[in-house]
Amino acid sequence: MKIFFNQLQPLTEGFRPCKRCRPDLQNYLTTKEQLIEKAIKVMSHTYSKEINLSELARELYVSPFYLQKIFKNKLGISPAQYLKIKRIESAKELMINSRLSMTEIALEVGFKNSAHFSSVFRKIVGVSPTAFRSALQGD
C-alpha cells in the first residue's frame, strides 16, 4: 500500500481520481477563506448602500476586529478599502456605459457627495473622474 501526500502524486504515477468521491473536483477552503468570500459577496451586493464594519461583521456572525484582521491578512487591504475600490470600479463602468453626471454616478455607487467621490477616485485611479471620462471620449 502506498500513501500519497497530495493530489498530483497519484496522477503522475498513472492513477486516476476516485469516481465516487471526486477529490479532483473538490475545492477546500479554510473557514477564514470562506468568511472572506462571504464578506466580499455581501459587499459586492450592497456596495451602493452605507455599510460599516460592525454591520458587515454582524451579518457574518463574527466580531468586527476578527473580520478586519483576517481580511487584511489575506487580501492586504481592509474591508473599507475593498469597498472603496469596488465603488470606484462600478463608477468607471457607469462612466463608460452611461451618460449620467458625475454627481449622479457618485450617488449611484454609494458616495454621499461628488466631492468625496472625486477625492477617492483621484486617490485610487490617479486622475479626476472628469479627466478619466474625457480620456475615454478621446477629448
Side-chain angles (χ1 to χ4, degrees), residues 80-89 92 111 117-127:
Q81 290 168 318
Y82 176 86
L83 194 56
K84 282 181 186 176
I85 292 168
K86 175 68 178 160
R87 287 176 173 165
I88 295 301
E89 291 304 315
K92 287 161 81 176
F111 288 95
F117 166 68
S118 183
S119 170
V120 171
F121 192 95
R122 183 182 299 273
K123 187 181 283 185
I124 291 174
V125 179
V127 296

Side-chain angles (χ1 to χ4, degrees), residues 39 43 50-60 62-69 71 78-80 83:
M43 287 188 285
E50 189 173 330
I51 185 168
N52 62 39
L53 184 63
S54 296
E55 293 167 353
L56 180 61
R58 190 173 333 140
E59 190 165 332
L60 298 171
V62 295
S63 76
F65 174 78
Y66 180 71
L67 179 60
Q68 174 87 3
K69 180 182 171 188
F71 204 94
S78 69
L83 194 56

Side-chain angles (χ1 to χ4, degrees), residues 101-113:
S101 71
M102 290 303 164
T103 302
E104 291 170 323
I105 291 173
L107 297 174
E108 181 76 24
V109 299
F111 288 95
K112 290 186 177 183
N113 60 56

